[in-house]
Amino acid sequence: MLRWVRQQLGFDPPHQSDTRTIYIANRFPQHGHYVPQKFADNRIISSKYTVWNFVPKNLFEQFRRVANFYFLIIFLVQLMIDTPTSPITSGLPLFFVITVTAIKQGYEDWLRHKADNEVNGAPVYVVRSGGLVKTRSKNIRVGDIVRVAKDETFPVDLVLLSSDRVDGSCHVTTASLDGETNLKTHVAVPETAVLQSVANLDKLVAVIECQQPEADLYRFVGRITISQQMEEIVRPLGPESLLLRGARLKNTKEIFGVAVYTGMETKMALNYKSKSQKRSAVEKSMNSFLIIYLIILLFEAILSTILKYAWQAEEKWDEPWYNEKTEHERNSSKILRFISDFLAFLVLYNFIIPISLYVTVEMQKFLGSFFIGWDLDLYHEETNQRAQVNTSDLNEELGQVEYVFTDKTGTLTENEMQFRECSINGIKYQEVNGKLTPEGFSEDSPDGNRHSLMKEEELFLKAVCLCHTVQINADQTDGADGPWHANGIASPLEYYASSPDEKALVEAASRVGVVFTGTSGDTMEVKSLGKPERYKLLHVLEFDPNRRRMSVIVESPSGEKLLFTKGAESSILPRSKSGEIDKTRIHVDEFALKGLRTLCVAYRRFTPEEYQEIGKRLREARTALQQREERLADVFNFIERDLELLGATGVEDKLQEKIQETIEALRLAGIKVWVLTGDKHETAVSVSLSCGHFHRTMNILELVQHKSDSTCAEQLRQLAKRIKEDHVIQHGLVVDGTSLSLALREHEKLFMEVCKNCSAVLCCRMAPLQKAKVVRLLKTSPEKPITLAIGDGANDVSMIQEAHVGIGIMGKEGRQAVRNSDYAIARFKFLSKLLFVHGHFYYIRIATLVQYFFYKNVCFITPQFLYQFFCLFSQQTLYDSVYLTLYNICFTSLPVLIYSLFEQHVHPHVLQSKPVLYRDISKNAHLGFKPFLYWTILGFFHAFVFFYGSYLLMGEDTSLLRNGQMFGNWTFGTLVFTVMVITVTMKMALETHFWTWINHFVTWGSIVFYFIFSLFYGGIIWPFLHTQDMYFVFVQLLSSGSAWFAIILIVVACLFLDVVKKVLYRHLQPTSTEKAQMEEDKGSVSSACDFAESRHRGEDNRQLLDPSSLPDSSYVH
């Protein structure tokens, strides 16, 4: 604990050195002054609270809210000074709100604890004292040798020591980490790979030196020093040796590995980016309204205090005969008396701030979020996935989106690659019925026959079959004839690959005659037209985003050393010195214009001397502990030069269904769509055109391939000028990653001006961090628009977390985006329903809920303020303290909560079919200053009618009972309170368009409950109450016919003007939404007539009542 405190204060940094030294099996040196390094334990902690800190930490967080802190102050004031109302009136609602919120947050944290305990308590096997010991995951220490079996998840970050295979390799899927669902191969160093038994591993004496923990999943630099027969062997360790926590072992019986990073220092834990708390626009409006109401409250309290002293300036009112002051009161300080009176008025009027607003909003968001998961229209049958909500705090933000930032691959497209075309030696080929046919030849042409593959074609296909990271399902073993049947047609081999492009290319090559049949140790086997060939794999030059290519160095059956390289045309063509470079470049551009993803393929032959030099350089770079990446990059660049170009490939990524309709609907709704992709310029533009993001009629502006700041600035100025000149035409902008970096560095304002005047923007060749930068740029622009980012891969996580609303697509690239998103859907097309229906409903509901809360509290407290003018500002309360306490908790809370869960002011189908209705609620239209002012003035107006209506009826000593008895102070207050409860409940009923039996039950039930409670409360003498002011008051009030008449009259007077205003506005100035409502009403009338006719025709009613036959059975609120 002390160490943790020291670390937090910065006195004890967790890792003083850049590297850590790990003694395998914790065999520390017995000699010298060895000080063991301190490492984290293997517990994963995702919870927020512990048993000890829950109460203080939760209370601290809750009292950071303005309203909660304010009510705490009021409660303390009531305890300290003599106030007109009991401390219970503030204390009980505060206690209720704090308790409900604490229970909700405590339950959520308990679920996190439960999940943590499940992970930390999982059984694992560790090699200790010459045997396998079963222990819990949390007990693993750095240096322990851990055994993991097939299909198990790695419990720590391990360096692979050995597997059940002779070469020490294993297959792993990292879908839960980086979203890649395909298999990756990891290998152990040869010296430890042979140690396949526990006994042998227990004798291993070795030391690992590696970097300190870091979040990058693909970076690991280390070396292992193995002591064997009095000599030390040093081997490099890279990402291929590291097995990450959270990844799963596949197609391998078991592996042994040594723990290098544990617990919260594992790469998985370091990638838990602490999500910054996103706050919705509604919540910000709510806080602004609270401050305005605090100002109203202070104004009322100060005014009342001043008027009290102005009134008491006259001696007859300062100390009337019936209320003489005590000696202490006469001698007390005037300043203290003034402060005390001010605080007393503050307490009297404090209910103008609605304390239960927060808890109602939280309940509404939490319960309302279930509707997204239950909506069958958002359910994807093929993958059996339904929408999921990770953050219920942003439901209403779905109704405010102005910009959508979307990834392309896997989001707009299916991420299902299909081989379409290739270019070999300057000739274009297509695959026709399993044959590679040159362009221009007919299907039946003998030239297309795969048995007569030319030398260039065969070499190209071999390059495709050897330069990849594809794996074959281990269950598929070669038979006597291998994967070939007698008729020469390949049986389908099941391939796994980290890249869907690679998989599509290897599968295409196998269909046309060159089949990759698997790897055995460091040997790769290829069958060319049935003839097996073995290539020895010497080196793999891994793909990285900076080089944008990958290579393999192999030894051919003839002993030749060959380099095969494939990658983006921008990284291959400049490094090629021979081959059909110009023709291939033209073909690559043609493929890109068709929307195909392109790769270029090249090779190089090495002389023995060249290969020796390369091997030496690679070894040096790979064993370096310092600047290993830079050294490797230099060596890779040295190797991948003077290439001979073989050709290029074109792979199609199919568009998802209803993409064009969805993008068009978003545009009609006033939402601008930006596509951010890593693809090349031509491919991205082609896909943008085919999915409807760019229109054929659009003027497409380009800001691409700029290398200097000045040219980029000049181009931006020209684009801005063109937009001003052609302001009638719609513009689309295409930007690439390098130009974007330059534009954002110095010319941010100009770039934003150009972007905002374009209907659609496409950013290509984007790095993940650049995507987030673009989102942040728009998010923080002066207009502060609401942004939404949607993507499916780990590379989209940063933009998903940056945007106001982040949506993950449950695609083929794993769960990283889904886990880091606020909402997750299976397909892009579901976005329209999510925004236009759910977003619309959530926003309307919560906007009404917030304003209604302020309205009903103005209605509640204003009569209390007006009453002071009639009681010499003596701080006499108008309502009984029980009514003060229960008004917000019981009498008026349920109707608004149910409204905020079930309200559908327009039918869901209408909202989805008319995206233009989304514009009616954009820019926080229902929570702006005008609607807020309307609700506040309405509250004051209703309060005046309640108070003065009741006063006119019974204020002038009017006898309203048959025996001539007068009504007293409490009866007057109860009449005002009764009228108020009925009016505010009826006002909610007027706002409701969609009535269910629950709405009816809570609306009329609340009024009935108030009457029953009041009769019960006033009809019995309660022994625990110190005063019995309300005894028989309510019964007496209801026994007067005049009182009943007054209640009806005042309620009608309050609501009549409201109804007239609604009718006039609806017919004279209807919004698009109100027009849709009127059309819907007409439609429902005609459908009701049709229904009546069908009944007369004797139609089977049971069919009509069957939920499956209802048009909207998928969406029942």
Side-chain angles (χ1 to χ4, degrees):
M1 180 68 184
L2 186 65
R3 182 166 166 254
W4 180 83
V5 170
R6 285 172 64 82
Q7 279 182 20
Q8 300 307 305
L9 295 172
F11 300 134
D12 183 20
H15 310 299
Q16 271 101 353
S17 68
D18 293 334
T19 60
R20 55 169 56 189
T21 307
I22 298 150
Y23 291 87
I24 293 180
N26 292 305
R27 285 196 179 84
F28 303 117
Q30 301 303 313
H31 52 82
H33 300 287
Y34 170 69
V35 180
Q37 285 176 286
K38 290 175 181 173
F39 302 119
D41 61 25
N42 197 37
R43 283 180 305 158
I44 285 287
I45 302 162
S46 64
S47 53
K48 198 173 177 181
Y49 306 107
T50 63
V51 174
W52 311 110
N53 72 10
F54 175 72
V55 173
K57 197 172 178 181
N58 188 265
L59 287 177
F60 173 72
E61 284 176 358
Q62 292 210 54
F63 284 118
R64 279 162 68 184
R65 281 185 165 168
V66 179
N68 290 352
F69 185 70
Y70 160 77
F71 268 85
L72 178 68
I73 298 295
I74 292 292
F75 177 61
L76 294 174
V77 166
Q78 284 179 296
L79 289 175
M80 287 188 289
I81 66 166
D82 181 25
T83 54
T85 55
S86 160
I88 294 169
T89 58
S90 292
L92 193 65
L94 180 65
F95 176 75
F96 173 74
V97 168
I98 296 292
T99 307
V100 168
T101 309
I103 289 168
K104 175 183 172 273
Q105 290 177 351
Y107 172 69
E108 286 173 353
D109 205 60
W110 175 75
L111 290 177
R112 284 193 284 266
H113 270 283
K114 199 175 162 190
D116 288 348
N117 292 339
E118 208 173 296
V119 172
N120 295 330
V124 290
Y125 287 92
V126 177
V127 177
R128 282 186 191 151
S129 312
L132 269 182
V133 178
K134 188 177 181 179
T135 184
R136 291 173 184 270
S137 174
K138 65 181 176 184
N139 299 329
I140 297 174
R141 297 168 297 172
V142 169
D144 278 345
I145 298 173
V146 183
R147 190 202 79 169
V148 180
K150 185 181 178 183
D151 290 328
E152 285 182 359
T153 302
F154 300 117
V156 285
D157 286 355
L158 300 164
V159 162
L160 179 61
L161 294 177
S162 66
S163 72
D164 64 319
R165 299 178 181 185
V166 184
D167 61 352
S169 67
C170 71
H171 297 309
V172 166
T173 175
T174 56
S176 61
L177 295 169
D178 59 6
E180 293 178 357
T181 51
N182 301 297
L183 295 189
K184 291 176 179 171
T185 306
H186 290 259
V187 285
V189 296
E191 285 74 19
T192 63
V194 294
L195 308 173
Q196 294 179 307
S197 68
V198 173
N200 288 339
L201 281 163
D202 197 49
K203 293 172 192 165
L204 174 66
V205 179
V207 180
I208 290 174
E209 289 170 275
C210 62
Q211 63 189 143
Q212 294 292 8
E214 65 167 24
D216 190 341
L217 295 174
Y218 310 107
R219 190 170 181 271
F220 178 67
V221 178
R223 66 179 171 215
I224 183 168
T225 308
I226 303 146
S227 303
Q228 274 184 0
Q229 294 147 7
M230 303 303 289
E231 66 167 327
E232 290 188 342
I233 300 162
V234 180
R235 293 284 183 194
L237 296 173
E240 72 285 347
S241 309
L242 188 69
L243 305 169
L244 301 177
R245 177 175 191 146
R248 196 178 286 274
L249 185 65
K250 290 280 186 187
N251 289 0
T252 314
K253 191 180 168 188
E254 66 173 13
I255 64 101
F256 289 95
V258 60
V260 286
Y261 304 130
T262 48
M264 298 309 285
E265 291 183 342
T266 57
K267 287 185 182 285
M268 182 177 86
L270 293 172
N271 272 280
Y272 291 154
K273 188 180 173 189
S274 54
K275 283 192 193 174
S276 57
Q277 192 61 41
K278 293 181 180 181
R279 289 170 69 228
S280 70
V282 169
E283 200 176 325
K284 290 169 192 168
S285 300
M286 225 157 78
N287 290 340
S288 309
F289 297 162
L290 273 173
I291 290 163
I292 293 169
Y293 271 68
L294 269 171
I295 293 165
I296 293 171
L297 169 70
L298 290 169
F299 170 74
E300 287 185 351
I302 292 166
L303 182 66
S304 299
T305 314
I306 292 167
L307 287 172
K308 176 177 181 170
Y309 283 90
W311 213 304
Q312 286 180 357
E314 288 183 52
E315 202 171 320
K316 65 170 182 174
W317 295 126
D318 183 33
E319 195 177 345
W321 58 269
Y322 55 82
N323 191 14
E324 289 186 7
K325 291 181 182 177
T326 61
E327 198 63 36
H328 175 71
E329 283 173 335
R330 286 197 188 99
N331 298 331
S332 64
S333 160
K334 282 190 174 180
I335 294 168
L336 283 175
R337 280 211 323 262
F338 186 91
I339 292 168
S340 176
D341 280 328
F342 168 71
L343 291 173
F345 280 118
L346 211 59
V347 167
L348 193 64
Y349 305 147
N350 80 79
F351 282 95
I352 197 167
I353 306 294
I355 187 171
S356 53
L357 172 61
Y358 278 122
V359 76
T360 309
V361 165
E362 279 204 14
M363 284 169 73
Q364 188 269 345
K365 287 182 174 185
F366 176 67
L367 296 171
S369 62
F370 287 108
F371 290 128
I372 291 176
W374 291 338
D375 189 348
L376 293 180
D377 287 345
L378 302 182
Y379 169 72
H380 192 242
E381 205 169 338
E382 289 166 41
T383 53
N384 189 29
Q385 287 168 330
R386 57 185 189 183
Q388 84 189 39
V389 179
N390 299 330
T391 313
S392 60
D393 291 346
L394 301 169
N395 293 343
E396 66 279 3
E397 206 80 327
L398 292 169
Q400 293 298 293
V401 175
E402 292 169 65
Y403 283 86
V404 167
F405 297 92
T406 173
D407 175 40
K408 183 183 76 68
T409 309
T411 305
L412 299 178
T413 63
E414 287 283 9
N415 204 6
E416 271 180 18
M417 307 301 171
Q418 291 175 327
F419 174 78
R420 284 285 173 254
E421 292 183 65
C422 65
S423 168
I424 305 172
N425 202 28
I427 300 166
K428 273 207 282 186
Y429 290 82
Q430 288 178 329
E431 186 193 346
V432 181
N433 297 334
K435 299 172 187 177
L436 206 57
T437 311
E439 195 177 50
F441 286 89
S442 67
E443 270 187 55
D444 307 320
S445 169
D447 301 70
N449 193 304
R450 64 182 171 79
H451 287 285
S452 58
L453 285 173
M454 289 189 290
K455 187 186 167 190
E456 293 87 355
E457 295 169 359
E458 195 174 349
L459 188 59
F460 174 83
L461 292 169
K462 280 179 186 172
V464 165
C465 282
L466 292 168
C467 184
H468 57 68
T469 57
V470 175
Q471 297 296 326
I472 291 174
N473 190 338
D475 302 330
Q476 287 186 296
T477 52
D478 289 352
D481 299 321
W484 287 79
H485 294 311
N487 60 1
I489 296 168
S491 68
L493 279 167
E494 196 179 343
Y495 292 114
Y496 296 101
S498 55
S499 157
D501 298 70
E502 284 189 340
K503 188 182 173 197
L505 292 173
V506 173
E507 283 174 343
S510 73
R511 288 196 299 272
V512 297
V514 180
V515 184
F516 168 63
T517 56
T519 53
S520 172
D522 58 358
T523 305
M524 298 179 84
E525 190 173 303
V526 171
K527 287 192 175 174
S528 180
L529 301 175
K531 180 185 156 196
E533 291 180 15
R534 290 178 182 272
Y535 289 81
K536 189 178 179 186
L537 181 62
L538 302 170
H539 295 285
V540 177
L541 280 54
E542 297 84 4
F543 175 86
D544 70 65
N546 298 324
R547 278 170 45 246
R548 305 195 56 244
R549 57 185 180 270
M550 81 156 285
S551 303
V552 292
I553 300 173
V554 295
E555 188 181 310
S556 70
S558 62
E560 244 186 327
K561 307 286 193 295
L562 299 170
L563 168 86
F564 288 113
T565 304
K566 77 165 189 291
E569 91 293 340
S570 58
S571 66
I572 300 285
L573 296 181
R575 309 186 78 80
S576 302
K577 66 166 189 179
S578 59
E580 296 288 349
I581 297 170
D582 294 332
K583 282 185 182 176
T584 306
R585 184 179 277 115
I586 292 164
H587 290 165
V588 165
D589 290 342
E590 285 174 10
F591 294 164
L593 285 171
K594 293 176 183 175
L596 304 181
R597 291 161 67 90
T598 58
L599 286 172
C600 285
V601 183
Y603 86 115
R604 179 185 172 186
R605 296 175 197 272
F606 294 123
T607 63
E609 295 76 26
E610 281 176 333
Y611 178 70
Q612 213 169 355
E613 169 70 9
I614 282 162
K616 185 184 161 198
R617 286 194 179 206
L618 273 171
R619 264 192 309 280
E620 284 173 4
R622 282 192 161 137
T623 51
L625 271 182
Q626 303 298 325
Q627 297 178 317
R628 185 185 288 184
E629 277 88 352
E630 292 84 343
R631 289 190 190 186
L632 276 174
D634 291 342
V635 176
F636 288 174
N637 284 330
F638 172 74
I639 296 168
E640 296 164 331
R641 63 194 172 97
D642 301 335
L643 302 172
E644 189 172 329
L645 187 65
L646 289 170
T649 61
V651 173
E652 183 187 38
D653 192 1
K654 203 168 68 177
L655 282 179
Q656 285 188 20
E657 58 177 330
K658 295 193 176 173
I659 286 289
Q660 287 157 317
E661 295 92 322
T662 308
I663 288 178
E664 188 52 39
L666 291 171
R667 194 173 280 125
L668 286 171
I671 298 169
K672 287 191 175 181
V673 181
W674 287 34
V675 175
L676 312 180
T677 177
D679 265 358
K680 73 186 295 273
H681 171 206
E682 291 83 3
T683 308
V685 170
S686 176
V687 171
S688 272
L689 284 164
S690 59
C691 73
H693 177 236
F694 282 168
H695 283 303
R696 301 279 170 195
T697 54
M698 252 184 208
N699 180 18
I700 295 175
L701 310 170
E702 292 189 347
L703 183 69
V704 290
Q705 294 177 340
H706 287 285
K707 297 284 185 284
S708 75
D709 208 38
S710 54
T711 58
C712 182
E714 181 55 37
Q715 178 70 3
L716 272 171
R717 279 189 281 272
Q718 282 184 10
L719 293 178
K721 192 179 169 188
R722 275 182 67 184
I723 289 169
K724 275 180 188 169
E725 287 168 2
D726 305 336
H727 61 275
V728 182
I729 310 168
Q730 280 193 327
H731 299 280
L733 177 69
V734 184
V735 196
D736 64 4
T738 50
S739 306
L740 183 76
S741 299
L742 293 168
L744 297 186
R745 203 179 300 157
E746 296 289 331
H747 317 288
E748 212 172 272
K749 265 181 135 176
L750 187 58
F751 176 68
M752 283 309 300
E753 191 188 321
V754 170
C755 288
K756 282 177 184 170
N757 289 316
C758 291
S759 307
V761 178
L762 167 66
C763 302
C764 51
R765 289 289 189 237
M766 296 280 282
L769 226 55
Q770 278 184 315
K771 291 184 177 185
K773 268 186 184 172
V774 170
V775 176
R776 193 182 309 126
L777 182 69
L778 247 117
K779 197 173 133 182
T780 54
S781 64
E783 293 81 11
K784 301 225 175 334
I786 303 297
T787 57
L788 179 147
I790 180 168
D792 71 321
N795 59 336
D796 302 314
V797 169
S798 50
M799 84 167 173
I800 283 171
Q801 290 183 334
E802 185 61 51
H804 291 97
V805 183
I807 295 185
I809 296 274
M810 302 167 189
K812 293 183 173 60
E813 291 190 32
R815 294 282 171 192
Q816 187 93 336
V818 170
R819 279 210 321 274
N820 286 281
S821 63
D822 304 307
Y823 302 89
I825 51 178
R827 287 290 179 271
F828 186 83
K829 65 175 180 178
F830 295 151
L831 188 63
S832 60
K833 175 100 191 246
L834 194 65
L835 299 186
F836 304 154
V837 179
H838 290 283
H840 201 121
F841 284 156
Y842 285 133
Y843 177 72
I844 291 291
R845 290 165 185 167
I846 206 157
T848 308
L849 180 147
V850 168
Q851 295 182 121
Y852 175 78
F853 250 94
F854 285 109
Y855 152 79
K856 73 186 177 82
N857 280 46
V858 169
C859 289
F860 183 36
I861 287 305
T862 308
Q864 184 89 279
F865 172 67
L866 297 173
Y867 185 58
Q868 296 310 302
F869 287 88
F870 294 84
C871 66
L872 277 184
F873 294 93
S874 61
Q875 294 141 15
Q876 168 63 39
T877 177
L878 179 62
Y879 316 118
D880 181 67
S881 59
V882 171
Y883 285 155
L884 277 171
T885 308
L886 298 182
Y887 175 75
N888 274 320
I889 295 176
C890 294
F891 300 145
T892 60
S893 59
L894 275 178
V896 68
L897 178 64
I898 296 301
Y899 168 91
S900 66
L901 289 174
F902 296 119
E903 174 62 1
Q904 291 183 28
H905 61 302
V906 183
H907 196 280
H909 287 329
V910 176
L911 284 177
Q912 202 167 355
S913 60
K914 294 185 177 177
V916 74
L917 298 180
Y918 192 80
R919 292 174 185 247
D920 278 3
I921 59 165
S922 63
K923 298 192 186 296
N924 208 5
H926 288 247
L927 269 178
F929 185 69
K930 275 186 179 176
F932 169 69
L933 196 64
Y934 164 71
W935 280 93
T936 304
I937 290 169
L938 187 72
F940 279 114
F941 166 68
H942 283 182
F944 273 79
V945 176
F946 301 153
F947 185 82
Y948 286 108
S950 302
Y951 179 74
L952 288 170
L953 176 77
M954 54 187 290
E956 297 296 325
D957 293 345
T958 315
S959 170
L960 299 175
L961 294 167
R962 268 184 294 179
N963 60 6
Q965 193 180 340
M966 301 293 179
F967 275 180
N969 164 57
W970 294 113
T971 316
F972 174 70
T974 307
L975 175 63
V976 173
F977 193 83
T978 305
V979 169
M980 179 171 60
V981 168
I982 295 169
T983 306
V984 296
T985 308
M986 292 296 289
K987 172 63 182 162
M988 189 76 263
L990 276 178
E991 292 300 313
T992 307
H993 291 90
F994 186 75
W995 284 87
T996 64
W997 67 266
I998 304 173
N999 292 77
H1000 283 291
F1001 178 75
V1002 297
T1003 302
W1004 316 121
S1006 291
I1007 296 170
V1008 171
F1009 171 74
Y1010 165 70
F1011 276 88
I1012 292 169
F1013 174 84
S1014 298
L1015 288 167
F1016 191 62
Y1017 172 57
I1020 299 170
I1021 294 177
W1022 300 96
F1024 53 82
L1025 294 176
H1026 63 279
T1027 60
Q1028 302 294 333
D1029 295 332
M1030 295 303 291
Y1031 180 66
F1032 224 62
V1033 167
F1034 198 68
V1035 177
Q1036 192 183 40
L1037 176 71
L1038 296 188
S1039 63
S1040 166
S1042 304
W1044 281 102
F1045 177 71
I1047 290 168
I1048 294 164
L1049 192 68
I1050 295 168
V1051 170
V1052 170
C1054 283
L1055 298 175
F1056 178 72
L1057 286 175
D1058 204 38
V1059 173
V1060 169
K1061 179 246 169 195
K1062 272 182 178 289
V1063 171
L1064 287 174
Y1065 265 84
R1066 206 174 172 81
H1067 286 87
L1068 299 176
Q1069 281 183 318
T1071 60
S1072 308
T1073 308
E1074 284 167 346
K1075 285 175 187 171
Q1077 283 172 344
M1078 288 189 273
E1079 284 173 28
E1080 197 187 321
D1081 291 342
K1082 287 173 192 170
S1084 62
V1085 169
S1086 61
S1087 64
C1089 297
D1090 295 343
F1091 178 71
E1093 279 181 43
S1094 67
R1095 287 186 68 182
H1096 288 305
R1097 291 187 197 123
E1099 190 172 280
D1100 186 1
N1101 288 330
R1102 279 174 300 177
Q1103 186 188 345
L1104 290 165
L1105 295 169
D1106 177 14
S1108 63
S1109 67
L1110 291 171
D1112 196 35
S1113 60
S1114 63
Y1115 193 97
V1116 180
H1117 274 216

